Amino acid sequence: MDTKRIQINDINDIHNEELMEAAQIIREGGLVAFRTETVYGLGANALNEEAAKKIYAAKGRPSDNPLIAHISCMEELTPLVAEIPEAGRRLAEAYWPGPLTMVFPKSAIVPYGTTGGLDTVAVRMPSDPVANRLIALAGVPIAAPSANTSGRPSPTTADHVWQDMNGKIEMIIDGGPVGIGVESTIVDVSGPVVTLLRPGAVTMEMLEETVGHVEIDPAIQGPPKADVKPKAPGMKYRHYAPKADLTLVEGMTADVTEKINRLVRERQAEGLKVGVICTEETRDAYPAGIVRCIGSRKHEETIAHNLFAVLREFDDLQVDAIYSESFSRDHLGQAIMNRLTKAAGYHMIQAQDQV
Ligand code: AMP
Ligand code: MG
């Protein structure tokens, strides 16, 4: 299939013919990748089971991994859900449109092909004007997982999408780089307690400010356990994996830089190509290896924004091993560390340890 790539420069032009064409493709059951404020999404009509199947095929995604339905306004929520619990209403008021996905009991019109067989449906209202306009023009909710091949880092530019999806989907809308860079926060509001299923830019602190105590699904914290079924089915897969082995190094800054430098020298002595993920604050502390700065610790949003692009760049450079500094788990750090530890297959070492 020929993939058409279009550029949206002026979102204020509602009659943008190419955006109308994109909406038409979605209505007719095709696939269109588009920018959202979190990462690029791969969109299809969420109410059309055949269209949802095409998403799984294009991504190579396991079909028990449910899709998030994206809406453009509150009126579009009602038909998709059996009820809107009070916590869901409050969170929607506080954070929609924005990087928050909520899991509701589903209504009959949402096909099991979209929800991976679950009786719940995940819904988000994106704030990105390109995404919002496309959904409104399509006139149907748009199922849109990240527009990457399953297992690769999520795409934060249209070029990333092109690398993974060219020839597999009808259209890519290039709206420029995304703002946030990590996928939405997911909370389950369908049960008696609000539960965080995936951390994102709407942080635990922000959630608890709005609805009080929020539980954390254990699948967020560490490696998948055979006997614990994660509530968000996607959490069991090794997501965001770079091709190289990624190791996170924790500890005091001086110990971390020293440890990473030693490991880089050792790997290089073995003839390996080694990458280092550092921060603005430590940029000058690494004399060897391919060093990429992920952002500034003072501005964690810069780290979230660059994270997947840095992992993709190391894929392109075909490095064999990557060593990364690690981050605090407060606020946005929880989302950053969730993505990094998963990308590392939970391989973390302490800078002070001898091995
Ligand atoms: P992605 O679209 O790639 O950002 O991933 C969407 C994630 O949302 C999936 O991996 C699921 O884990 C989660 N999800 C979607 N629908 C549900 C649902 N009904 N219940 C729980 N988690 C869900
Ligand atoms: Mg994804």
Side-chain angles (χ1 to χ4, degrees):
M1 161 182 336
D2 276 343
T3 300
K4 183 169 178 179
R5 181 167 172 167
I6 65 165
Q7 193 130 15
I8 297 290
N9 296 318
D10 182 8
I11 193 61
N12 295 318
D13 179 9
I14 2 174
H15 298 298
N16 186 316
E17 269 176 30
E18 287 176 317
L19 208 53
M20 307 273 264
E21 188 188 336
Q24 179 83 17
I25 293 171
I26 298 273
R27 270 197 302 277
E28 289 172 357
L31 302 184
V32 176
F34 57 98
R35 190 186 68 175
T36 81
E37 70 274 30
T38 56
V39 299
Y40 268 76
L42 177 56
N45 181 350
L47 302 181
N48 176 340
E49 204 146 14
E50 291 308 311
K53 274 191 197 146
K54 291 185 193 167
I55 290 184
Y56 291 110
K59 283 179 63 77
R61 175 175 172 127
S63 62
D64 69 339
N65 191 353
L67 306 172
I68 296 170
H70 293 74
I71 57 175
S72 71
C73 61
M74 256 339 245
E75 291 68 53
E76 292 168 6
L77 177 65
T78 319
L80 303 181
V81 300
E83 61 163 320
I84 305 177
E86 180 55 26
R89 202 176 292 282
R90 292 225 294 274
L91 288 169
E93 223 162 80
Y95 302 114
W96 274 3
L100 175 69
T101 297
M102 286 188 271
V103 174
F104 297 95
K106 84 173 192 72
S107 73
I109 67 161
V110 182
Y112 284 110
T114 299
T115 67
L118 298 172
D119 288 316
T120 50
V121 60
V123 186
R124 180 163 99 83
M125 189 194 296
S127 63
D128 184 293
V130 177
N132 194 280
R133 190 59 54 72
L134 177 65
I135 300 161
L137 284 174
V140 291
I142 298 186
S146 49
N148 53 292
T149 301
S150 203
R152 292 213 66 201
S154 294
T156 53
T157 67
D159 282 344
H160 296 162
V161 180
W162 186 257
Q163 286 167 6
D164 286 11
M165 293 296 154
N166 183 22
K168 297 182 180 166
I169 65 177
E170 278 81 1
M171 188 186 269
I172 296 173
I173 304 173
D174 181 353
V178 303
I180 294 169
V182 291
E183 303 85 346
S184 59
T185 304
I186 305 180
V187 288
D188 186 350
V189 295
S190 70
V193 275
V194 177
T195 307
L196 179 70
L197 305 186
R198 177 173 75 184
V202 173
T203 63
M204 263 304 272
E205 291 84 353
M206 292 161 74
L207 295 169
E208 292 200 320
E209 202 182 292
T210 310
V211 291
H213 177 68
V214 172
E215 290 283 326
I216 300 182
D217 189 52
I220 289 175
Q221 322 267 33
K225 295 189 183 71
D227 53 334
V228 182
K229 199 168 168 223
K231 282 198 179 148
M235 297 299 278
K236 70 175 177 283
Y237 298 106
R238 183 180 169 198
H239 264 178
Y240 329 116
K243 290 174 189 156
D245 282 334
L246 169 63
T247 304
L248 299 186
V249 183
E250 275 191 312
M252 307 284 287
T253 308
D255 295 332
V256 168
T257 55
E258 192 189 319
K259 178 81 170 184
I260 290 180
N261 281 325
R262 188 148 60 77
L263 290 164
V264 170
R265 281 195 302 273
E266 284 172 14
R267 294 294 88 74
Q268 286 183 328
E270 292 163 5
L272 298 182
K273 194 167 174 183
V274 190
V276 174
I277 298 179
C278 75
T279 51
E280 292 288 352
E281 291 76 13
T282 53
R283 198 189 260 288
D284 299 327
Y286 300 101
I290 302 172
V291 182
R292 289 293 175 271
C293 177
I294 197 173
S296 162
R297 286 180 188 275
K298 290 197 206 85
H299 304 284
E300 276 194 320
E301 65 283 2
T302 59
I303 296 170
H305 183 263
N306 296 326
L307 195 154
F308 288 129
V310 167
L311 294 179
R312 270 187 183 255
E313 191 187 349
F314 279 131
D315 275 358
D316 296 342
L317 291 166
Q318 296 187 302
V319 298
D320 303 298
I322 306 168
Y323 294 100
S324 174
E325 295 179 7
S326 63
F327 300 92
S328 99
R329 293 174 196 259
D330 299 334
H331 302 279
L332 188 55
Q334 191 183 20
I336 292 168
M337 283 300 282
N338 172 261
R339 306 315 190 269
L340 272 177
T341 53
K342 283 179 95 180
Y346 303 96
H347 189 205
M348 301 194 64
I349 57 175
Q350 297 300 317
Q352 293 87 341
D353 292 354
Q354 289 314 301
V355 276

